[in-house]
């Protein structure tokens, strides 16, 4: 399990406090749960959140994301939709700001925040010690679960098989995601396997299906 949170630039404590206050309110009044229910679960209808037209807005909050991670963010036609986008629309209702969503490669998001091109980053991003050295994070808004995907005929039946003596699997990950961080530290550096890094998670899955990775 891992905690997802909103990344923002170090030193921008005012924005961080506003994000935390908004998230607290959205949790307490049930808005966040309602947003999630539209995207996750057996009854999910993928209905996007409707911003409050009565809110007077001053300024624009730029959100950097990687729209390759449904149901948190994905592309529907020319629109980016999902849990993270809807949540930030609701946050912007609380802040009285407009939301601008920018789609980019996952490994460009933190640098965009640090360089001031984006105010926040929400690609279903996990709070890690490495990332905390570069950006700050809001309070958590969701708990995610990491799993290992294998083919049906795979001899890998548990995570322990990746760390067994003599293990030498080829593992596909999305570049700079927590899957990349975990496997780099615990497998690649330990000489227990090879890591193939892809810009998109879907590309890693395709490589698995094609037999290029284990």
């Amino acid at each position: 399990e891992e905690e997802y949170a909103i990344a923002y630039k170090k030193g921008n404590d005012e924005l961080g406090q506003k994000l935390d206050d908004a998230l607290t309110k959205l949790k307490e009044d049930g808005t966040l749960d309602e947003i999630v229910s539209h995207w996750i679960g057996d009854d999910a209808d993928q209905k996007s959140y409707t911003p409050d037209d009565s809110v007077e807005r001053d300024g624009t909050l730029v959100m950097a994301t990687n729209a390759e991670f449904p149901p948190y963010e994905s592309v529907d036609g020319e629109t980016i939709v999902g849990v993270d986008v809807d949540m930030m629309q609701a946050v912007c209702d609380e802040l009285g700001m407009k939301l601008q969503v920018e789609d980019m490669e996952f490994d460009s998001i933190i640098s965009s925040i640090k360089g001031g091109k984006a105010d926040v980053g929400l690609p279903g991003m996990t709070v890690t010690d490495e990332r905390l050295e570069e950006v700050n994070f809001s309070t958590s808004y969701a708990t995610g679960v990491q799993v290992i995907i294998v083919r049906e005929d795979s001899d890998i039946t548990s995570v322990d098989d990746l760390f067994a003596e003599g293990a030498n699997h080829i593992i596909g990950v999305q570049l700079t995601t927590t899957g990349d961080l975990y496997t780099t530290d615990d497998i690649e550096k330990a000489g227990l396997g090879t890591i193939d890094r892809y810009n998109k998670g879907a590309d890693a899955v395709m490589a698995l299906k094609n037999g290029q990775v284990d």
Side-chain angles (χ1 to χ4, degrees):
E1 290 189 353
E2 56 189 20
E3 298 300 317
Y4 294 156
I6 304 170
Y8 62 94
K9 190 174 183 178
K10 280 187 174 296
N12 198 348
D13 297 334
E14 181 180 357
L15 175 60
Q17 187 61 58
K18 288 180 178 179
L19 294 172
D20 285 349
D21 290 345
L23 287 173
T24 297
K25 183 177 184 301
L26 296 175
K27 290 176 183 178
E28 290 178 347
D29 67 13
T31 300
L32 183 55
D33 285 341
E34 183 178 355
I35 287 172
V36 171
S37 72
H38 285 294
W39 294 99
I40 299 175
D42 294 337
D43 297 325
D45 57 10
Q46 298 188 350
K47 180 181 178 182
S48 294
Y49 176 85
T50 302
D52 187 348
D53 290 338
S54 68
V55 174
E56 294 186 8
R57 303 181 190 273
D58 181 18
T60 299
L61 190 75
V62 179
M63 167 185 164
T65 193
N66 175 238
E68 301 282 348
F69 186 47
Y72 285 89
E73 41 268 316
S74 61
V75 177
D76 182 13
E78 297 183 357
T79 305
I80 299 173
V81 300
V83 174
D84 286 347
V85 178
D86 285 0
M87 182 186 70
M88 285 310 300
Q89 290 282 10
V91 166
C92 283
D93 280 353
E94 298 298 323
L95 301 184
M97 300 181 73
K98 297 178 182 177
L99 179 65
Q100 178 180 327
V101 183
E102 296 290 343
D103 188 20
M104 61 187 69
E105 299 292 348
F106 188 93
D107 64 337
S108 297
I109 291 174
I110 286 180
S111 60
S112 293
I113 295 170
K114 293 172 66 176
K117 295 181 180 179
D119 299 302
V120 296
L122 285 92
M125 186 172 284
T126 308
V127 181
T128 67
D129 291 338
E130 292 92 339
R131 290 171 181 159
L132 283 168
E133 293 177 0
E134 300 190 80
V135 293
N136 285 345
F137 284 93
S138 69
T139 184
S140 170
Y141 65 85
T143 301
V145 178
Q146 283 280 339
V147 296
I148 298 167
I149 307 172
V150 297
R151 293 185 296 276
E152 286 185 339
D153 60 353
S154 175
D155 60 353
I156 300 170
T157 59
S158 77
V159 65
D160 294 334
D161 292 335
L162 299 180
F163 303 97
E165 184 177 353
N168 189 28
H169 297 99
I170 302 174
I171 303 167
V173 299
Q174 184 178 4
L175 187 66
T176 71
T177 62
T178 46
D180 188 2
L181 297 176
Y182 291 152
T183 55
T184 296
D185 289 343
D186 298 340
I187 295 177
E188 187 174 57
K189 290 182 179 179
L192 294 174
T194 301
I195 313 302
D196 281 2
R197 297 171 175 84
Y198 298 86
N199 285 327
K200 299 178 181 180
D203 291 343
V205 175
M206 184 59 66
L208 175 69
K209 294 171 70 176
N210 291 338
Q212 295 167 279
V213 302
D214 299 310

